C-alpha cells in the first residue's frame, strides 16, 4: 500500500515488512493530522494550565482525544481496506473500544477499523452477483450494520480490555526501571509507549505519582522530565523539516510550534509511525536528556502540564546549577534526536522515496554497484561527441579484439549525423 506520505517498499525482507506496516499506520493517522492540530490548539489554550484557561471550552478536550480522533483513525483505516463501506463499519467498530476507555484508544482503532472493514469485504465477496435485482441496497445496508454492530461489541468486550492490559504492562515496566535507578533506560520503554499514544498512562500513571513523592522530600524530581521532555520530539520534527519527504515538510512547522511551545507531544507521533525507524532518534534523544538530568541532579518542582518549554520555565526551581541541568539536558536531547533522525532519513537522500524501498533500495543499489565494479564494469558518458570510449572491462586479445574495435569505430555515428 503506497500513500501520499510513504512510497511502497520493495522486497519481502524484515525491513520492507516493517516499512509497509509503518506506511499503513501513517495512512490511517496522517490524513487526520488537521484534527490532531485542532485538538492540540484547544488543549494548549483552554485547559486550566493553558494560555487562556476556560472551563467550558476545556470540556472539548476529552471527547476529542478519547472519541473523535480514534473514530477518525478507525474510519480512515476502514476506508483503506474497503472504501466507503469499510470506513463506515470501521468507525462504528471503533466506538466500541473508545467508549469507557480511560486512555485514548488510537492503537485499538488502528486494529479494529481495518479488521471490521476486512470482514465486510469478505462478506461482499461471498454475496457478489448472488443478490437479486432490487435487493442490493437492502443487503448492503444490513450487512454493514450487522458487522459494524458486532465488531463494536467485540471491541468493547475484547480489544478494549486487551489494550488496557498492554497499557498496564507499559506502566509496570517503566515503574520497575525507575525503582531500580535505571533512569536512562526508561527511554527504551517510554518513547515507544508515547508513540503508541500511551504517554498519558505512563506519565500520569507511573512517573508523576513517583515524582510527587520525590518532590515532597527533595523539593524537585527528575521523574517529571522523563516523559514530558519536549527535546526528542522537536529533534525528530526538525529532522523531518530539513531532511524528510518534501511533500510532508510544509506540515512540520505548525506541528513543531504546537509540540514545543504548546506541549502537545501527540502531534509528532504520526511522523514516527510513518517511518518506524525514527523511534531510534526519539530513544537516543530521550536517553541523552535523562542521563544529563540525572548526572547534574536537575529536577522540576511539579509535573509540567502540558509538556512545553513554557511549562518547564514555570516549574524549574531556583538555582543556576538546576537551570543548567534542565536546559542542557533538553537542548542535548533535541540535538541528539535531530542528528540521529537526520541520519536515519539519509540527510535528504531519501526525501521523496526516489527508490521504492528506502534504505533497502539504497542497499540493493550499492550492492549492484559493488558487484559491477568487481566485474570490471565502467560508467561511461555516451553523450559527449567525438570522445573515444575505452573498454575497461575484461581484456580482449588477438585479432578478435582488433576486429571488435574497428567495428565499433565504424558503427559509431559522428557528430551531426542521425543515430
Amino acid at each position: 500500500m503506497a500513500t501520499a506520505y510513504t512510497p511502497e517498499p520493495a522486497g519481502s525482507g524484515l525491513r520492507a515488512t516493517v516499512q509497509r506496516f509503518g506506511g499503513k499506520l501513517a495512512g490511517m493517522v496522517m490524513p487526520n493530522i488537521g484534527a490532531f492540530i485542532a485538538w492540540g490548539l484547544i488543549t494548549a489554550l483552554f485547559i486550566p494550565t493553558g494560555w487562556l484557561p476556560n472551563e467550558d471550552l476545556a470540556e472539548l478536550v476529552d471527547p476529542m482525544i478519547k472519541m473523535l480522533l480514534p473514530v477518525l483513525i478507525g474510519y480512515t483505516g476502514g476506508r483503506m481496506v474497503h472504501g466507503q463501506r469499510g470506513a463506515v463499519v470501521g468507525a462504528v467498530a471503533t466506538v466500541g473500544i473508545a467508549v469507557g476507555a480511560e486512555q485514548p484508544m488510537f492503537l485499538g482503532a488502528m486494529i479494529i477499523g481495518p479488521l471490521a472493514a476486512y470482514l465486510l469485504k469478505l462478506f461482499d465477496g461471498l454475496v457478489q452477483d448472488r443478490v437479486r435485482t432490487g435487493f442490493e441496497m437492502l443487503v448492503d445496508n444490513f450487512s454493514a450494520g450487522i458487522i459494524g454492530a458486532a465488531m463494536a461489541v467485540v471491541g468493547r468486550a475484547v480489544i478494549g480490555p486487551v489494550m488496557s492490559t498492554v497499557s498496564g504492562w507499559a506502566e509496570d515496566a517503566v515503574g520497575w526501571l525507575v525503582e531500580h535507578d535505571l533512569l536512562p533506560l526508561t527511554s527504551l520503554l517510554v518513547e515507544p509507549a508515547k508513540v503508541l499514544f500511551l504517554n498519558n498512562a505512563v506519565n500520569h500513571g507511573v512517573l508523576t505519582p513517583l515524582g510527587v513523592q520525590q518532590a515532597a522530600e527533595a523539593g524537585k524530581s527528575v521523574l517529571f522530565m522523563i516523559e514530558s521532555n519536549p527535546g526528542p520530539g522537536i529533534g525528530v520534527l526538525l529532522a523531518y523539516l530539513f531532511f524528510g519527504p518534501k511533500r510532508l515538510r510544509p506540515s512540520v512547522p505548525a506541528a513543531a510550534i504546537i509540540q514545543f511551545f504548546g506541549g502537545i507531544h501527540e502531534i509528532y507521533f504520526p511522523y514516527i509511525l510513518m517511518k518506524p525507524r525514527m523511534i531510534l532518534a526519539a530513544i537516543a534523544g530521550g536517553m541523552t536528556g535523562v542521563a544529563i538530568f540525572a548526572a547534574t541532579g536537575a529536577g522540576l518542582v511539579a509535573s509540567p502540564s502540558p509538556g512545553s518549554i513554557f511549562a518547564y520555565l514555570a516549574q524549574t526551581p531556583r538555582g543556576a546549577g538546576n537551570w543548567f541541568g534542565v536546559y542542557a539536558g533538553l537542548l542535548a536531547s533535541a540535538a541528539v534526536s535531530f542528528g540521529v533522525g537526520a541520519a536515519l532519513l539519509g540527510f535528504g537522500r531519501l526525501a521523496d522515496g526516489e527508490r521504492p524501498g528506502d534504505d533497502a533500495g539504497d542497499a540493493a543499489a550499492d550492492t549492484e554497484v559493488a558487484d559491477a565494479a568487481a566485474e570490471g564494469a565502467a560508467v561511461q558518458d555516451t553523450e559527449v561527441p567525438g570522445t573515444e570510449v575505452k573498454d575497461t572491462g575484461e581484456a580482449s586479445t588477438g585479432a578478435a579484439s582488433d576486429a571488435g574495435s574497428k567495428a565499433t569505430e565504424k558503427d559509431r555515428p559522428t557528430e551531426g549525423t542521425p543515430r
Side-chain angles (χ1 to χ4, degrees), residues 382-396:
T382 60
E383 294 301 318
V384 180
T387 301
E388 182 177 356
V389 180
K390 297 183 179 180
D391 184 13
T392 59
E394 191 174 320
S396 300

Side-chain angles (χ1 to χ4, degrees), residues 393-416:
E394 191 174 320
S396 300
T397 59
S401 174
D402 296 337
S405 299
K406 294 178 180 179
T408 302
E409 290 295 326
K410 179 180 179 180
D411 295 338
R412 180 183 297 116
T414 58
E415 183 177 3

Side-chain angles (χ1 to χ4, degrees), residues 61-262:
V61 174
D62 271 1
M64 291 182 71
I65 189 66
K66 291 183 178 180
M67 183 61 66
L68 174 64
L69 295 179
V71 168
L72 284 175
I73 291 173
Y75 178 93
T76 307
R79 190 182 185 92
M80 290 166 55
V81 173
H82 195 42
Q84 183 61 29
R85 282 168 53 73
V88 172
V89 298
V92 173
T94 302
V95 173
I97 63 170
V99 170
E102 295 182 359
Q103 63 272 350
M105 282 290 179
F106 295 103
L107 185 59
M110 294 176 183
I111 296 172
I112 199 168
L115 178 60
Y118 180 70
L119 293 177
L120 181 63
K121 183 178 181 179
L122 291 179
F123 176 84
D124 287 348
L126 290 175
V127 302
Q128 187 177 11
D129 300 328
R130 297 182 182 179
V131 180
R132 293 189 178 183
T133 304
F135 288 89
E136 294 90 351
M137 183 175 293
L138 180 66
V139 173
D140 286 351
N141 289 340
F142 270 88
S143 61
I146 292 171
I147 292 176
M151 290 303 296
V153 173
V154 170
R156 184 74 176 92
V158 180
I159 298 180
V162 169
M163 292 297 103
S164 297
T165 301
V166 172
S167 175
W169 290 345
E171 294 178 18
D172 295 341
V174 172
W176 185 86
L177 290 175
V178 171
E179 291 174 2
H180 291 78
D181 297 325
L182 300 173
L183 288 181
L185 297 182
T186 56
S187 296
L188 293 172
L189 294 176
V190 170
E191 296 302 331
K194 286 173 66 176
V195 172
L196 296 176
F197 297 92
L198 299 175
N199 53 318
N200 289 326
V202 171
N203 190 31
H204 300 302
V206 178
L207 298 176
T208 296
L210 294 175
V212 170
Q213 296 177 13
Q214 288 189 1
E217 300 173 358
K220 61 183 179 181
S221 175
V222 67
L223 301 181
F224 292 135
M225 299 185 290
I226 292 178
E227 186 277 335
S228 65
N229 180 8
I234 193 65
V236 168
L237 290 174
L238 290 176
Y240 266 101
L241 179 62
F242 291 103
F243 304 111
K246 291 188 174 82
R247 64 176 68 89
L248 190 62
R249 294 180 190 178
S251 70
V252 175
I257 291 173
I258 291 174
Q259 190 270 342
F260 192 70
F261 297 105

